[in-house]
């Protein structure tokens, strides 16, 4: 172990030492502070963590967060799969366009997108007004200001996060394998179900974990599109930090989130090298 | 096969005409391609090909990259839609049939094994999608494993196998469902040289044991020569020559064919005389006599002669008078290939000539700069179409 | 102070920043929000507090210009001390962090009454020096030990005259009665105003609202839960009303005034039983400018002129009783402390909120979730 570590040691690492130290100081120190706070505020002990099992509010909060994130993950990855699949089977020029559009939407601020949904799907939004004016419905449909709205906003935001790892995965699959399946007598559907889907499993898992982890920290979208009714962990932490000043609770929840995310990242890394998700493989 | 080899003495153009016109030659199980064309934009990848693949034969499509051989194979497989023409099997046009309905096995370049399935699962796949019974499947899988000598490796995954073993799995998988025709797309490309020769023998063996029609795509002339019943040499989307290996090698129709299958020397001449026993040619002051009978040529026509390097003899200048077709030359370079020596010569009369001689015979006896006499027999040369020469018929 | 609630939720602060084109702040705040934890490390803000200046920590937007005009100009004229701003919003948690970290960069914070009580008790604030700040200039009962109620704002509700024009709602009981007044409702998502309103609607007498019976209030709030949506910022409250998302909605009274004006009276505000909130100027412990300078500053803020300028500029109601009488007629219907409204409104009890507010907010969040 030590000998391999020594062999792997590269003197160029010395060059990034100052940056590493800065990161440690500016990033890791506050995290340790958070962990520390979670067992010391308001009094030392595991009182904050005890609330996790005692407080229905916290249990519901965590459940809401997990539920919303799971549903978001399901839809974002399903739709992202379709997008990635279409891109893989499009002509080279079309694919470049699709990737550009995807990247642009990736860079549009979450706020702009959230408010766009509000304008589009609100009671007096474009969709409801149109449906009412053509007589499909008489009362506006509540697309937003509820959990459905949160899901729409989050799924929309998360699709590019799902597409990129899926694309990286799909790019690595030899198209001849699917041809082989066809030549062996399998229909398109059989080929998809028995060959393509299993081969994209690592991509699906990586995309799911990435989307799920990113969803956990969602704050603005649930706050606005949820109409205040869909309280997720990130917003709750912020309220505990800034409004009710229950830093112990906030720190405890933050620690739980941190540990869960690290755990998921560890799993993610086993399925797909993290670097390849956004790395050089994406042309 | 025997008859096709004998039937080609008249030259390939006649042969092809016979193919397309004579429906009576088509038998059950023959695959007939009629005017098969694939255009990518204005580029003719495959240009109006007529070909009958005989039931049970081992046919090789041989050509350089870009010659259209793989596109042709993929059209037969059903993965590429023809721009024009038909693919006919047992009297029905299968051009529009999807690949899975054609019942052709394909061995892909790189094998395209299912990496998430074991060897057994790979082989069972075509049977499972055909909803065969469980017992039938396991029996057949075992049979196929035996056929390709992979018993005991059934539960391994492809990545745990060597290249040669993967190759055999691919073969077993594509033969498991008893395909009418097996299509092989450069299947040996990924193997090292020694293994390649081994697998060639196995393939040939497999072909004769299964009796399945093999259509084999390669750019490797050795593979083509060693395995095929017939070889179709392809260039720029067309079949340049179709014949058995011996006939192809001995009687190339063009400079391209002569060069692509083996090596050749070319001598550009003018026909001086034609008689019952052969023809006389002239290049500069050098007169060449060959026992060639070929219709459509007249005295005064230009003709390019192709002579295989191994048919060039190198003699001591003092003995040269006894032989026809002999001329003085100087050795420029000698390359050693173990079994043969390749001797590059420059003859004032006919230019650069390469000779290939057994190494054991000549090792050490010749050296660059030496003056020699070279000659060839009267049946050594053939007239070939010179694709590069302008205004030639 | 108008923007205090407006900015109280970071998402929406981000929204403002976005609308103003300040994308970098948005990024910063999004980061804080998403990380949820990073705030501790970064809330120190960007104001440089040197000895000879007063740094006011407020909520940005219009309030920066209004505070400069109303208080900064006369204060600087008198003392030669310039006024600077940190507009990142002095939430209780941020003030606590700043004092705890030992790097105090603000002199005076535009906060709430209950912040003054809570942070005073926990030792994060300088006590107010009433030898400098004139107690007579403060509404009775709101000259707190650790803060001065410079202005008042209020939680009132608005209704759509198109829906209820003939028989308009008059009080919280009507607001919570979705049978008599069908339609959606919008409430403030962190409880303030809604809890008091619910108690009044449930029949609690105005004088008995405090201490709040939170379970009773939440029961009432839950009774209209299926018809309710909740906002976290003034602009969101505004949008919900003018976009027709709700038939009635709680607003900050100054925001209500602009909605009435912008909609040309289509949406009307009900000031009856509005919950009046004392805004408080508080001084973080160890403020850089020193006690004397900042106390003078607060005293300047209490002058009638400054108070009326803030009313005119931000719609916040004066706390100085002397200024009550001078509220212009046009602003009377919207001002908490105007003659017309002062007896109809219920004054928030900052002591109760300081002690029980945290639990109440969490219980409220639980109830609406």
């Amino acid at each position: 172990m030590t000998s391999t570590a020594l062999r792997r040691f590269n003197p160029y690492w010395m060059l990034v030492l100052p940056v590493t130290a800065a990161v440690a100081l500016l990033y890791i120190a506050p995290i340790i502070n958070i962990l520390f706070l979670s067992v010391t505020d308001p009094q030392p002990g595991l009182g904050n963590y005890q609330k996790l099992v005692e407080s229905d509010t916290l249990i519901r909060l965590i459940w809401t967060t997990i539920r919303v994130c799971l549903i978001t993950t399901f839809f974002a990855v399903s739709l992202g799969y379709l997008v990635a699949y279409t891109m893989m089977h499009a002509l080279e020029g079309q694919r470049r366009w699709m990737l550009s559009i995807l990247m642009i939407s990736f860079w549009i601020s979450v706020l702009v997108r959230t408010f766009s949904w509000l304008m589009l799907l609100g009671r007096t939004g474009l969709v409801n007004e149109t449906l009412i004016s053509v007589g499909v419905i008489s009362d506006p449909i509540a697309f937003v200001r509820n959990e459905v709205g949160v899901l729409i906003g989050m799924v929309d935001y998360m699709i590019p996060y799902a597409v990129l790892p899926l694309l990286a995965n799909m790019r690595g699959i030899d198209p001849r394998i699917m041809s082989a399946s066809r030549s062996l007598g399998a229909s398109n559907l059989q080929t998809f179900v028995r060959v393509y889907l299993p081969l994209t499993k690592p991509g699906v898992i990586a995309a799911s974990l990435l989307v799920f982890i990113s969803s956990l920290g969602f704050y603005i979208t649930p706050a606005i599109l949820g109409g205040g009714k869909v309280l997720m962990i990130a917003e709750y932490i912020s309220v505990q930090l800034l409004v009710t000043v229950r830093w112990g609770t906030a720190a405890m929840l933050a620690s739980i989130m941190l540990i869960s995310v690290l755990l998921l990242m560890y799993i993610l890394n086993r399925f797909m090298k993290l670097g390849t998700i956004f790395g050089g493989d994406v042309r | 096969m025997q008859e096709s080899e004998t039937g080609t003495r008249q030259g390939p153009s006649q042969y092809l005409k016979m193919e397309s016109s004579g429906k009576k030659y088509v038998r059950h199980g023959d695959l007939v391609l009629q005017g098969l064309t694939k255009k990518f934009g204005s580029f003719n990848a495959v240009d109006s090909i007529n070909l009958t693949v005989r039931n049970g034969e081992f046919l090789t499509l041989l050509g350089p990259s870009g010659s259209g051989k793989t596109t042709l194979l993929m059209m037969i497989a059903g993965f590429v839609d023809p721009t024009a023409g038909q693919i006919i099997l047992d009297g029905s046009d299968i051009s529009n049939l999807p690949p899975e309905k054609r019942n052709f096995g394909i061995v892909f370049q790189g094998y395209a094994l299912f990496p998430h399935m074991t060897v057994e699962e790979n082989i069972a796949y075509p049977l499972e999608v055909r909803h065969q019974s469980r017992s039938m499947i396991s029996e057949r899988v075992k049979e196929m494993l035996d056929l390709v000598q992979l018993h005991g490796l059934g539960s391994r995954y492809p990545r745990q196998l060597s290249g040669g073993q993967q190759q055999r799995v691919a073969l077993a998988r594509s033969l498991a469902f008893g395909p009418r025709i097996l299509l092989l797309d450069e299947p040996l490309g990924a193997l090292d040289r020694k293994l390649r020769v081994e697998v060639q023998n196995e393939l040939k063996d497999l072909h004769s044991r299964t009796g399945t029609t093999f259509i084999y795509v390669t750019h490797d002339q050795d593979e083509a020569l060693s395995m095929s019943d017939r070889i179709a040499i392809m260039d720029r989307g067309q079949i340049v020559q179709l014949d058995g290996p011996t006939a192809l090698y001995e009687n190339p129709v063009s400079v391209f064919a002569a060069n692509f299958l083996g090596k050749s020397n070319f001598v550009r001449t003018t026909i001086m005389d034609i008689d019952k026993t052969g023809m006389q040619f002239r290049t500069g002051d050098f007169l060449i006599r060959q026992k060639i009978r070929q219709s459509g040529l007249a005295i005064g026509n230009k003709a390019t002669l192709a002579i295989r390097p191994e048919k060039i003899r190198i003699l001591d200048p003092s003995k040269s008078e006894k032989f026809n077709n002999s001329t003085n030359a100087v050795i420029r370079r000698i390359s050693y290939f173990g079994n043969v020596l390749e001797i590059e010569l420059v003859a004032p009369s006919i230019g650069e000539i390469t000779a290939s001689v057994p190494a054991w015979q000549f090792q050490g006896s010749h050296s660059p700069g030496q003056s020699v006499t070279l000659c060839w027999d009267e049946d050594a040369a053939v007239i070939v179409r010179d694709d590069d020469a302008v205004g030639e018929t | 102070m108008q923007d205090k609630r407006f900015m109280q939720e970071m998402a929406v602060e981000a929204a403002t920043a976005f609308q103003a084109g300040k994308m970098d702040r948005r990024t910063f705040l999004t980061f804080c929000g998403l990380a949820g934890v990073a705030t501790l490390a970064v809330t120190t803000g960007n104001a440089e507090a040197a000895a000879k200046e007063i740094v006011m920590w407020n909520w940005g937007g219009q309030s920066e210009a209004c505070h400069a005009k109303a208080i900064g100009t006369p204060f600087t004229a008198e003392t030669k001390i310039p006024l600077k701003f940190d507009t990142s919003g002095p939430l209780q948690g941020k003030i606590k962090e700043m004092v705890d970290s030992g790097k105090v960069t603000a002199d005076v914070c535009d906060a709430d009454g209950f912040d003054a009580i809570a942070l005073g008790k926990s030792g994060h604030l300088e006590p107010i020096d009433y030898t400098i700040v004139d107690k007579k200039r403060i509404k009775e009962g709101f000259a707190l030990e650790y803060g001065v109620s410079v202005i008042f704002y209020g939680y009132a509700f608005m209704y759509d005259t198109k829906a209820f024009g003939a028989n308009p709602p008059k009080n919280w009981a009507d607001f919570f009665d979705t049978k008599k007044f069908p339609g959606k409702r919008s409430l403030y998502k962190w409880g303030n105003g809604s809890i008091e309103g619910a108690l009044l609607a449930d029949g609690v007498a105005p004088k008995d609202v405090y201490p709040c019976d939170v379970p009773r209030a939440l029961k009432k709030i839950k009774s209209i839960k299926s018809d309710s949506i909740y906002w976290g910022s003034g602009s969101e409250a505004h949008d919900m009303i003018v976009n027709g998302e709700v038939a009635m909605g709680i607003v900050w009274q100054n925001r209500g005034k602009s909605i009435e004006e912008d909609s040309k009276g289509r949406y009307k505000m009900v000031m009856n039983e509005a919950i009046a909130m004392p805004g408080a100027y508080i001084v973080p412990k160890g403020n850089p400018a020193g006690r004397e300078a900042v106390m003078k500053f607060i005293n300047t803020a209490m002058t009638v002129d400054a108070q009326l300028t803030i009313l005119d500029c931000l719609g916040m109601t004066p706390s100085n009783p002397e200024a009550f009488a001078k509220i212009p007629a046009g602003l009377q219907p919207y001002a908490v402390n105007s003659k017309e409204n002062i007896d109809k409104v219920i004054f928030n009890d900052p002591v109760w909120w300081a002690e029980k507010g945290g639990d109440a907010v969490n219980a409220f969040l639980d109830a609406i979730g």
Side-chain angles (χ1 to χ4, degrees):
Chain A
M1 200 63 192
T2 336
S3 63
T4 54
L6 270 177
R7 241 181 289 128
R8 280 190 198 156
F9 180 77
N10 181 332
Y12 289 111
W13 282 110
M14 297 296 285
L15 292 174
V16 295
L17 197 67
V19 180
T20 316
V23 168
L25 206 73
L26 294 174
Y27 197 72
I28 298 177
I31 285 175
I32 290 170
N33 187 26
I34 291 295
L35 290 170
F36 181 73
L37 261 182
S38 73
V39 289
T40 54
D41 184 284
Q43 58 255 344
L46 293 173
N48 287 318
Y49 289 89
Q50 208 175 331
K51 282 187 217 154
L52 267 185
V53 284
E54 285 170 355
S55 159
D56 291 344
T57 311
L58 289 186
I59 291 167
R60 240 182 46 201
L61 172 79
I62 290 170
W63 168 235
T64 304
T65 307
I66 291 174
R67 183 183 66 234
V68 168
C69 292
L70 281 178
I71 299 174
T72 299
T73 305
F74 176 79
F75 283 103
V77 173
S78 306
L79 294 171
Y81 197 98
L82 286 179
V83 173
Y85 188 85
T86 311
M87 284 175 76
M88 282 306 295
H89 293 80
L91 297 174
E92 182 59 36
Q94 290 172 328
R95 175 161 52 213
R96 214 168 300 134
W97 267 106
M98 292 169 85
L99 193 64
S100 313
I101 292 168
L102 192 81
M103 292 319 287
I104 290 167
S105 76
F106 191 70
W107 289 319
I108 293 177
S109 129
V110 66
L111 264 166
V112 176
R113 296 167 67 162
T114 302
F115 279 110
S116 304
W117 281 119
L118 218 50
M119 281 183 234
L120 211 60
L121 297 178
R123 273 180 76 88
T124 54
L126 192 68
V127 172
N128 271 322
E129 295 276 280
T130 310
L131 288 177
I132 290 171
S133 69
V134 299
V136 179
I137 50 172
S138 54
D139 284 321
I141 298 170
F143 292 115
V144 290
R145 306 290 192 198
N146 52 30
E147 192 165 315
V148 174
V150 175
L151 290 171
I152 290 173
M154 285 176 67
V155 167
D156 163 61
Y157 190 79
M158 278 295 143
I159 284 175
Y161 287 82
V163 171
L164 292 180
L166 281 168
L167 261 188
N169 172 249
M170 288 175 181
R171 277 213 173 99
I173 299 174
D174 184 349
R176 283 176 298 200
I177 293 175
M178 271 64 70
S179 297
S181 167
R182 298 283 304 281
S183 78
L184 293 167
S187 65
N188 266 325
L189 184 68
Q190 279 174 313
T191 300
F192 181 79
V193 173
R194 297 203 45 176
V195 179
Y196 201 72
L197 210 55
L199 289 181
T200 50
K201 200 167 84 181
V204 170
I205 291 172
S208 301
L209 284 171
L210 188 70
V211 170
F212 187 79
I213 288 169
S214 310
S215 302
L216 282 177
F218 257 74
Y219 179 99
I220 291 164
T221 307
I224 294 173
L225 291 177
K229 294 187 216 173
V230 186
L231 190 63
M232 282 176 54
I233 207 163
E235 189 182 4
Y236 193 81
I237 288 175
S238 146
V239 173
Q240 302 311 313
L241 268 179
L242 301 174
V243 181
T244 63
V245 198
R246 303 279 155 87
W247 286 5
T249 310
M252 178 272 291
L253 287 171
S255 306
I256 297 279
M257 247 174 106
L258 185 71
I259 292 161
S260 318
V261 167
L262 287 177
L263 209 68
L264 290 171
M265 295 279 255
Y266 172 75
I267 299 170
L268 174 61
N269 200 28
R270 293 196 49 178
F271 280 98
M272 204 173 220
K273 286 280 162 248
L274 283 175
T276 63
I277 292 175
F278 293 107
D281 203 23
V282 178
R283 280 182 289 254
Chain B
M1 317 201 70
Q2 212 57 38
E3 50 185 18
S4 57
E5 274 181 39
T6 52
T8 51
R9 284 286 162 188
Q10 303 134 308
S13 52
Q14 282 97 330
Y15 184 84
L16 286 180
K17 257 181 231 152
M18 193 182 78
E19 287 251 353
S20 57
S21 59
K23 272 221 157 123
K24 58 183 172 176
Y25 290 96
V26 177
R27 292 166 304 188
H28 179 76
D30 287 0
L31 181 76
V32 181
L33 312 181
Q34 280 182 352
L36 205 59
T37 301
K38 181 65 192 179
K39 290 187 182 186
F40 294 112
S42 61
F43 171 67
N44 285 1
V46 171
D47 192 358
S48 190
I49 281 189
N50 296 307
L51 172 67
T52 298
V53 184
R54 298 280 157 80
N55 189 13
E57 80 168 320
F58 193 130
L59 178 99
T60 296
L61 302 174
L62 176 68
S65 59
S67 60
K69 57 189 191 301
T70 297
T71 308
L72 179 59
L73 193 79
M74 288 300 132
M75 275 197 281
I76 297 172
F79 291 114
V80 173
D81 292 329
T83 311
Q86 289 181 309
I87 304 166
I88 296 161
L89 184 67
D90 293 344
S92 56
D93 182 2
I94 60 164
S95 316
N96 295 319
L97 220 54
E100 64 267 26
K101 296 266 162 62
R102 296 195 183 190
N103 276 336
F104 295 168
I106 305 179
V107 177
F108 288 86
Q109 211 172 358
Y111 323 130
L113 295 176
F114 304 131
H116 60 297
M117 296 184 194
T118 63
V119 169
E120 277 169 353
E121 286 163 350
N122 265 282
I123 297 171
Y125 186 83
L127 307 168
E128 278 170 9
V129 298
R130 283 175 174 77
H131 305 294
Q132 306 277 19
S133 76
R134 205 159 279 279
S135 59
M136 187 270 171
I137 291 175
S138 70
E139 200 176 304
R140 182 77 178 151
V141 167
K142 208 186 262 166
E143 207 177 298
M144 295 316 293
L145 283 173
D146 283 347
L147 182 72
V148 296
Q149 296 157 45
L150 281 177
H151 21 243
L153 298 182
S155 55
R156 296 239 182 129
Y157 283 91
R159 62 172 180 279
Q160 298 169 310
L161 301 178
S162 71
Q165 289 169 329
Q166 291 184 25
Q167 155 79 56
R168 288 189 223 163
V169 176
L171 273 168
R173 184 179 68 174
S174 52
L175 286 170
F177 60 99
R180 309 278 311 256
I181 297 175
L182 185 67
L183 309 174
L184 303 102
D185 184 14
E186 309 228 11
L188 309 185
L191 302 181
D192 61 56
R193 201 179 160 77
K194 197 167 156 47
L195 199 58
R196 224 182 289 174
V197 177
E198 226 177 277
V199 179
Q200 278 173 36
N201 292 331
E202 283 174 23
L203 267 179
K204 188 76 194 135
D205 198 38
L206 209 58
H207 173 246
S208 59
R209 266 194 288 165
T210 57
T212 308
T213 308
F214 277 32
I215 302 179
Y216 188 98
V217 160
T218 186
H219 64 268
D220 186 307
Q221 48 165 316
D222 293 338
E223 285 175 21
L225 287 171
S226 72
M227 294 188 286
S228 317
D229 294 321
R230 286 196 300 164
I231 300 169
I233 297 183
M234 290 192 66
D235 184 33
R236 283 172 278 188
Q238 293 181 316
I239 294 180
V240 175
Q241 192 171 5
L242 172 69
D243 221 324
T246 321
L248 266 187
Y249 190 80
E250 296 298 336
N251 295 297
V253 294
S254 69
V255 171
F256 177 83
N259 252 339
F260 199 75
L261 200 69
K263 289 176 179 169
S264 200
N265 295 296
F266 298 102
V267 182
R268 290 181 173 83
T269 66
T270 308
I271 299 173
M272 296 304 291
D273 190 21
I274 303 177
D275 58 32
K276 285 196 295 264
T277 55
M279 297 182 190
Q280 193 160 31
F281 308 87
R282 185 176 64 84
T283 173
D285 297 332
F286 184 44
L287 289 174
I288 301 164
R289 173 148 187 94
Q290 298 293 151
K291 293 177 188 160
I292 295 175
R293 295 201 55 192
Q294 193 159 319
S295 56
L297 290 171
I299 293 170
N301 282 3
K302 293 193 184 310
T304 301
L305 297 176
I307 312 149
R308 295 288 184 192
E310 65 271 18
K311 296 195 172 167
I312 303 285
R313 283 197 250 174
I314 293 171
L315 306 165
D316 194 317
S318 60
K319 299 171 187 165
S320 61
E321 291 79 26
K322 297 173 199 162
F323 295 90
N324 286 329
N325 304 335
S326 68
T327 182
N328 294 328
V330 177
I331 296 176
R332 195 165 63 181
R333 188 184 296 135
I334 300 177
S335 309
Y336 177 63
F337 286 98
N339 53 342
V340 295
L341 292 180
E342 229 171 65
I343 304 179
E344 286 173 41
L345 306 122
V346 180
S349 53
I350 50 173
E352 291 174 18
I353 292 288
T354 304
S356 176
V357 298
W360 61 271
Q361 236 177 341
F362 280 79
Q363 185 68 39
S365 62
H366 290 72
S367 54
Q370 192 180 347
S371 287
V372 293
T373 293
L374 62 82
C375 74
W376 62 87
D377 293 348
E378 288 188 359
D379 58 358
V382 293
I383 300 175
V384 295
R385 192 171 69 240
D386 194 342
D387 311 282
D388 299 333
V390 185
E392 196 110 19
T393 46
Chain C
M1 210 56 168
Q2 163 204 348
D3 284 311
K4 155 130 198 165
R5 291 298 162 197
F6 172 64
M7 300 289 267
Q8 203 161 38
E9 193 223 326
M10 286 198 290
V12 180
E13 174 159 12
T16 322
F18 148 68
Q19 281 161 353
K22 297 179 191 166
M23 294 307 268
D24 48 348
R25 190 156 101 209
R26 178 196 65 77
T27 314
F28 155 64
L29 285 159
T30 308
F31 170 66
C32 293
L34 291 177
V37 294
T39 329
L40 295 180
V42 289
T43 41
T44 358
N46 53 4
E48 327 92 49
K52 280 299 156 195
E53 63 184 24
I54 293 283
V55 175
M56 183 177 195
W57 193 0
N58 68 5
W59 303 86
Q62 271 176 290
S63 62
E64 189 174 343
C66 290
H67 286 145
K69 184 172 141 199
I71 319 168
T73 308
F75 175 70
T76 308
E78 192 187 317
T79 61
K80 303 280 178 287
I81 300 173
L83 176 64
K84 290 195 172 176
F85 292 96
D86 172 351
T87 57
S88 62
L91 284 166
Q92 215 181 99
K94 293 193 201 171
I95 300 169
K96 178 166 142 81
E97 198 285 326
M98 184 172 85
V99 174
D100 285 350
S101 76
K103 290 188 211 70
V104 180
T105 54
D107 294 296
V108 58
C109 309
D110 182 9
D112 259 312
F114 53 80
D115 293 329
I117 308 273
L119 289 171
K121 205 171 150 196
S122 62
H124 291 84
L125 299 179
E126 297 283 349
I128 301 298
D129 184 348
Y130 286 108
T131 62
I132 299 173
V133 180
D134 186 353
K135 254 191 182 169
K136 287 202 293 286
R137 289 178 176 175
I138 305 162
K139 182 177 161 65
E140 205 187 325
F142 292 96
L144 307 169
E145 193 181 351
Y146 290 97
V148 176
S149 287
V150 179
I151 52 87
F152 285 83
Y153 65 100
Y155 288 93
F157 71 86
M158 303 195 77
Y159 63 93
D160 185 354
T161 56
K162 219 169 163 186
F164 311 121
N167 178 27
K170 294 178 190 69
N171 51 31
W172 290 109
D174 292 345
F175 182 88
F176 280 91
D177 190 341
T178 49
K179 281 204 184 66
K180 222 168 111 191
F181 298 93
K184 302 267 179 206
R185 303 287 192 269
S186 56
L187 287 76
Y188 180 53
K189 74 158 57 157
W190 292 334
N192 306 59
S194 305
I195 290 173
E196 290 90 338
L199 290 173
L200 290 165
D202 208 38
V204 175
K207 64 177 172 46
D208 297 329
V209 167
Y210 297 103
C212 293
D213 182 347
V214 175
R216 182 174 174 180
L218 294 183
K219 201 177 155 206
K220 190 75 186 168
I221 287 162
K222 275 181 169 174
S223 72
I224 59 162
K225 188 170 154 183
S226 58
D227 285 317
S228 303
I229 58 178
Y230 307 87
W231 51 265
S233 75
S235 65
E236 226 184 330
H238 185 126
D239 291 347
M240 285 174 175
I241 291 172
V242 300
N243 289 342
E245 287 188 71
V246 293
M248 281 188 225
I250 297 179
V251 289
W252 289 315
Q253 121 282 343
N254 55 329
R255 181 64 81 158
K257 173 175 173 273
S258 54
I259 294 174
E260 262 197 41
E261 287 167 0
D262 293 351
S263 68
K264 300 197 174 63
R266 163 149 182 195
Y267 304 100
K268 282 198 88 67
M269 182 159 59
V270 177
M271 280 298 283
N272 183 33
E273 297 183 340
I275 314 301
M277 301 291 292
Y281 280 12
I282 55 179
V283 179
K285 202 171 189 76
N287 69 303
R291 277 170 54 85
E292 198 186 326
V294 76
M295 294 304 156
K296 277 185 186 160
F297 176 83
I298 293 172
N299 201 38
T300 309
M302 299 310 302
T303 59
V304 175
D305 282 350
Q307 297 259 295
L308 291 175
T309 308
I310 290 173
L311 172 67
D312 181 55
C313 193
L314 286 173
M316 303 291 187
T317 308
S319 165
N320 187 340
E322 210 188 313
F324 291 0
K326 297 181 179 166
I327 295 171
L331 296 175
Q332 292 260 352
Y334 307 106
V336 173
N337 285 332
S338 68
K339 202 176 288 172
E340 179 178 344
N341 289 332
I342 195 160
D343 295 325
K344 293 194 245 166
V345 302
I346 286 85
F347 281 89
N348 167 282
D349 178 2
V351 177
W352 184 85
W353 270 99
E355 275 173 16
K356 308 282 186 198
D359 288 331
V361 170
N362 281 341
F364 182 83
L365 287 175
D366 190 40
I368 67 173

